Amino acid sequence: MREITFKMERPGLVKAGDEVHVSEKKTALNYSYIIDPAVAMSGCYKVNERIKSSNGIVKNVEHNERGYYVIVEFDE
């Protein structure tokens, strides 16, 4: 299992146990991922760190002073 953290701007869009679909966005040097439909966004990953699966399960939603973070498990 592989865990990826996504930044979410508003609470309540997903919850633990939800299955989510992610889409990949490519820039010149990196890849980033968005939980569809525009729920949360990941950081940047290099080519050798790309996510191979397009679906994952929300493990947890955390809140701190910087915002909401969604931890998603991918079967890789």
Side-chain angles (χ1 to χ4, degrees):
M1 296 301 261
R2 178 178 177 187
E3 291 183 2
I4 301 291
T5 301
F6 294 81
K7 175 77 166 73
M8 183 169 66
E9 296 298 324
R10 296 174 305 199
L13 299 177
V14 294
K15 63 185 182 311
D18 286 352
E19 182 174 354
V20 293
H21 176 78
V22 296
S23 57
E24 181 178 74
K25 303 296 178 195
K26 183 180 188 241
T27 63
L29 299 173
N30 298 311
Y31 291 86
S32 62
Y33 299 89
I34 297 174
I35 297 176
D36 291 328
V39 171
M41 186 169 186
S42 74
C44 296
Y45 293 91
K46 297 183 191 253
V47 173
N48 62 340
E49 300 172 327
R50 288 175 69 190
I51 298 174
K52 296 174 182 73
S53 178
S54 61
N55 290 322
I57 302 294
V58 176
K59 180 179 178 184
N60 195 15
V61 177
E62 299 175 354
H63 178 252
N64 62 32
E65 66 279 351
R66 297 185 77 183
Y68 296 90
Y69 293 88
V70 181
I71 293 92
V72 179
E73 284 187 335
F74 294 93
D75 190 17
E76 293 187 9

